[in-house]
Amino acid sequence: MKQKSERSELAQRVDGEAGGVERSAEAKPEKEASESPRLTGLMEQVCKRDNLNTAWRKVVKNKGSAGTDGMTVEELPTYLREHGTWLREQLLADSYRPQPIRQVTIPKPDGGERVLGIPTVVDRFVQQAILQVLQPIFDPTFSPYSFGFRPGRNAHDAIACAKQFVQDGRTWVVDLDLAKFFDRVNHDILMGRLAKRIDDKPLLRLIRRYLEAGIMANGVVTAREEGTPQGGPLSPLLANVLLDEVDKELMQRGHTFVRYADDLNVYVGSKRAGERVMQALRGKYAKLKLQVNEEKSAVAPVGERKFLGFTLRVHKGQARTMIADKSVAKFKTQVRLLTSRNSGRSMGYITQRLSVYLRGWHGYFGHVDWQNTVQELERWTRRRLRLVQLKLWKHPRGTYKGLLRLGVEPRRAREVAAYAGRWWWLSGHHTNGALTNKYFDGLGLYCFTKQQAAHSSNRPVRTRTPGGVAGDGR
C-alpha cells in the first residue's frame, strides 16, 4: 500500500475539499459557519497561563524590531515576570489600551515603498495570544484554495494547486492585485465579520483598539480610521477573515482559483470568461470597500503572468513551473550587492555571506520543473565571484601572483595578467582553470547542483492521486 508524502496529502485534501466546486457541497463550510453558535468566553482563553506562555515564547523566537517604547524582545521575559499579573488583569477587566505603532518603510523590488506598522513587543505578545485562540476557530472554515498565513500551508502548495488547474486546461488567468490592501481594510466591515462568529464583547473591543491604534512617524502619532498594519501577528488572520467572503463566492460560482494573502489568481478556459470574472470581482471588492490595482491586474495567458515569484507555462502538453523573470532580476541584484568589493573583506568572507542568501533562495526557487534557469544562475554566480577575486587582486602584478598561488603555470598567469582591467571578460573561461568549482567549494560556497542532486536522489516517484492532483507516492 502506497504511502503519501506530506505535500501529496495536502494536495489530495485540497482536491477532495474543492474538486467539485460546482456542487452545493462546496458551500457547506460557509453554511456551517453561519449556523454555528457565536462563541463566548474567549478572553478568558486568551489569558490562560499556558496560552500566554506559548505566546511569549513565539514572540521571542520570531525576534523583530522594537516598537515605539523601545523595548526589545529580549526584554519581554523580564517585563512579564514583573508586570505579567497586572497585564492579565488589565485584559480581563477590558481596560488594556494598545500603544501607538511604529511606522517603518521598506523599498519594494519593483520600486516604491511598503509601509509596515511595528507594534510594541508587549502588544505583539497580546496579539499572539489572541491569534492562538482565534486561529483554530476560523482557519477550518476558510476556503481550501486559500494558502497564505495558514498552518500547514505555504507558497509551494499554492503553486502546486495552480499548476494542476493549468494542467487541466485552464490556461488563462485572472491575476488580481489589490491596491494597498492592508492599508485600506475597513474596520466596520471587518469587525462585522468577526462578530458573526464571536460573542465576546471585551475581545472584540480589544481587536478594534488594535485596528485603531495610532501610528507614529517622525515622532508624531496619527489616528487611523482604516487598515490593519502589516507587522503584527494578528493582521494575516484578520485579512483572511475579510477575504474569505470572496473565496466562498468564487467557490459557489464554480471557479477554480488560488489565493495567497491578497494575491488572487482565478484560472479559466478563455479570455472572455476571464473578463467576466474580473468584472464580477471588481464589484465584490467594491462592496468590501477595497480597490483593485488596475495597473498590476490583468486577464492574460498564464505564461505571461507571475505568481509568488513563479511563472506557469505549458510545454509539450505539460504544465511547468519556472522562475519568473522579475525573480531572476532580483536574484542578480542581490548577488551583486553581496559580492561588492569592499576593503578588508576576504574572498572567504564574501563567499560565506553569499551562501546564506543562496541557501534560502534555493530553498524557495530551487525545485522548479525548468532547471535550466537555476543552472544558468549558478554559473553566473560563480563567474561573478571570479570577477570579485580578480578585482581584489587589483592590478597585473597582483593578478599574476594570485594565479601562481593557485597553481597556474607562470606563462599562463602572465597571459591572463596582461589583460588585467578587463575583469568581466577574464572572469569567463580564462580563469576557470584557477578559480575552479572545487576552489569555491573549499570556501564553502553553497552549490545548487549538488543540493538538487541530493534532493532528486531522495525524491519519491511522481504519481497521480485518485482526486487528480499530482502527488508524491513512495
Side-chain angles (χ1 to χ4, degrees), residues 165-167 169-173 267-270 300-303 314:
F165 294 149
V166 175
Q167 182 63 46
R170 299 176 179 91
T171 56
W172 284 79
V173 61
Y267 296 90
V268 295
S270 67
V302 291
V314 179

Side-chain angles (χ1 to χ4, degrees), residues 233-444:
L234 198 54
S235 292
L237 176 66
L238 297 180
N240 278 331
V241 169
L242 183 63
L243 294 176
D244 187 62
E245 182 174 326
V246 180
D247 297 347
K248 295 295 175 54
E249 183 162 326
L250 287 170
M251 291 173 65
Q252 289 174 356
R253 293 176 179 270
H255 293 299
T256 52
F257 66 94
V258 177
R259 181 174 66 80
Y260 194 93
D262 57 328
D263 291 332
L264 174 66
N265 276 11
V266 185
Y267 296 90
V268 295
S270 67
K271 181 178 181 180
R272 185 176 179 182
E275 290 172 344
R276 289 197 301 268
V277 172
M278 176 68 83
Q279 188 61 32
L281 285 171
R282 288 192 184 101
K284 183 61 179 179
Y285 282 123
K287 291 180 181 179
L288 296 176
K289 297 187 177 181
L290 298 173
Q291 183 179 345
V292 175
N293 188 332
E294 299 294 346
E295 292 183 359
K296 294 185 178 180
S297 302
V299 178
V302 291
E304 296 179 5
R305 307 298 294 181
K306 72 178 183 71
F307 182 50
L308 302 177
F310 297 90
T311 295
L312 290 166
R313 293 181 182 173
V314 179
H315 179 69
K316 296 182 179 180
Q318 295 294 318
R320 304 286 187 184
T321 54
M322 305 177 66
I323 303 173
D325 292 341
K326 287 186 177 180
S327 299
V328 171
K330 183 179 178 182
F331 171 88
K332 289 187 174 183
T333 298
Q334 188 63 27
V335 170
R336 289 188 183 101
L337 289 173
L338 292 171
T339 58
S340 59
R341 181 165 58 111
N342 294 297
S343 176
R345 293 186 174 178
S346 66
M347 196 64 184
Y349 174 86
I350 293 173
T351 302
Q352 292 296 328
R353 188 174 65 158
L354 175 62
S355 291
V356 174
Y357 172 74
L358 296 179
R359 184 175 292 106
W361 184 92
H362 190 246
Y364 186 78
F365 288 106
H367 306 305
V368 290
D369 297 321
W370 192 258
Q371 284 292 313
N372 287 11
T373 303
V374 177
Q375 295 165 4
E376 289 169 3
L377 288 176
E378 181 169 55
R379 287 192 292 268
W380 178 86
T381 300
R382 292 183 185 277
R383 184 172 182 180
R384 173 73 190 177
L385 286 172
R386 293 186 184 102
L387 169 71
V388 172
Q389 181 61 81
L390 288 168
K391 286 186 174 181
L392 289 173
W393 285 332
K394 295 183 179 180
H395 46 70
R397 187 172 182 82
T399 302
Y400 176 73
K401 290 183 176 180
L403 292 173
L404 289 180
R405 286 195 297 270
L406 293 175
V408 178
E409 295 180 356
R411 179 179 176 181
R412 179 57 179 166
R414 282 194 295 270
E415 292 175 352
V416 174
Y419 292 96
R422 298 179 62 181
W423 305 125
W424 184 248
W425 180 73
L426 284 176
S427 66
H429 65 277
H430 299 283
T431 52
N432 286 2
L435 302 172
T436 61
N437 293 351
K438 185 177 181 180
Y439 167 76
F440 290 116
D441 291 343
L443 294 176

Side-chain angles (χ1 to χ4, degrees), residues 36-183:
S36 299
R38 295 167 68 209
L39 300 171
T40 60
L42 297 182
M43 184 57 82
E44 286 74 13
Q45 295 184 37
V46 170
C47 294
K48 283 184 177 179
R49 192 171 301 278
D50 289 345
N51 187 58
L52 294 176
N53 287 337
T54 302
W56 78 255
R57 283 193 292 267
K58 287 190 176 180
V59 170
V60 172
K61 181 180 179 180
N62 292 337
K63 300 181 180 180
S65 304
T68 53
D69 62 354
M71 181 188 296
T72 64
V73 292
E74 290 78 14
E75 297 173 301
L76 179 61
T78 302
Y79 174 88
L80 292 177
R81 280 194 294 270
E82 297 176 358
H83 305 285
T85 301
W86 170 85
L87 177 60
R88 186 172 180 272
E89 291 173 352
Q90 290 279 302
L91 292 170
L92 290 172
D94 194 18
S95 56
Y96 180 76
R97 296 294 183 273
Q99 298 186 57
I101 297 167
R102 182 168 67 91
Q103 179 175 299
V104 178
T105 57
I106 59 174
K108 291 183 179 181
D110 55 351
E113 292 182 333
R114 184 185 304 277
V115 179
L116 300 181
I118 308 299
T120 64
V121 173
V122 174
D123 283 328
R124 295 210 295 272
F125 161 70
V126 176
Q127 286 192 35
Q128 179 64 40
I130 296 172
L131 174 67
Q132 291 166 183
V133 171
L134 294 187
Q135 193 157 51
I137 295 171
F138 282 96
D139 192 82
T141 70
F142 290 154
S143 163
Y145 293 134
S146 169
F147 292 88
F149 308 113
R150 296 183 60 188
R153 291 168 173 249
N154 57 36
H156 291 149
D157 298 322
I159 293 298
C161 186
K163 178 182 175 182
Q164 184 60 49
F165 294 149
V166 175
Q167 182 63 46
D168 291 342
R170 299 176 179 91
T171 56
W172 284 79
V173 61
V174 181
D175 185 0
L176 194 140
D177 181 82
L178 294 175
K180 298 182 178 180
F181 166 70
F182 284 94
D183 297 332

